Amino acid sequence: QVQLVESGGGAVQAGGSLRLSCRASVNYYCMGWFRQAPGKEREGVASIERNGNTRYADAMEGRFTISRDNVKNVLYLQMNSLKPEDTAMYYCAADGSAERCRIIADFNYWGQGKQVTVSS
């Protein structure tokens, strides 16, 4: 059974940092982070292939860093210089498709989500 369990997140003031972690039951080829703010559609944040290749949504590049530990099957998202507009539920996701990794969309497996709240 596929399991993706997130941890971390929470509340921080603007300009601060938070880290999310996601423990996976399987070492998937592609893992990623998505987020959904109230009243908005879910959007891709970043993805990482098993070989370490990464991709970021434009709004997050330079502030967020995605990484993974293939031995422990753990995915990370380091978020720096956080802004109030980064407030959202953040989801860990996984998939076996290189194409879905490239476009950061349509992943098949999902965690339960972790709330990130950034105050001004």
Side-chain angles (χ1 to χ4, degrees):
Q1 183 180 355
V2 175
Q3 284 191 324
L4 297 168
V5 181
E6 298 104 331
S7 59
V12 69
Q13 289 189 328
S17 298
L18 286 172
R19 189 173 85 155
L20 293 168
S21 300
C22 172
R23 184 171 296 278
S25 57
V26 177
N27 184 245
Y28 284 96
Y29 173 78
C30 176
M31 298 192 75
W33 291 99
F34 292 74
R35 69 184 187 183
Q36 187 167 20
K40 294 187 177 181
E41 292 188 355
R42 187 174 60 197
E43 61 176 343
V45 172
S47 68
I48 183 167
E49 298 175 50
R50 191 180 288 137
N51 62 10
N53 288 342
T54 59
R55 293 171 181 88
Y56 295 90
D58 289 345
M60 277 66 93
E61 188 145 23
R63 298 190 298 123
F64 291 9
T65 302
I66 189 171
S67 61
R68 64 190 288 175
D69 183 327
N70 288 328
V71 174
K72 297 179 180 178
N73 288 351
V74 180
L75 176 72
Y76 302 99
L77 185 68
Q78 178 66 41
M79 302 180 287
N80 298 328
S81 302
L82 282 161
K83 306 173 182 179
E85 51 264 44
D86 293 318
T87 295
M89 185 73 78
Y90 283 72
Y91 296 90
C92 170
D95 201 274
S97 165
E99 178 61 15
R100 293 190 185 109
C101 217
R102 185 183 69 80
I103 63 174
I104 321 177
D106 300 326
F107 282 37
N108 277 304
Y109 306 107
W110 295 88
Q112 79 284 2
K114 274 291 182 181
Q115 179 67 38
V116 169
T117 301
V118 185
S119 58
S120 57

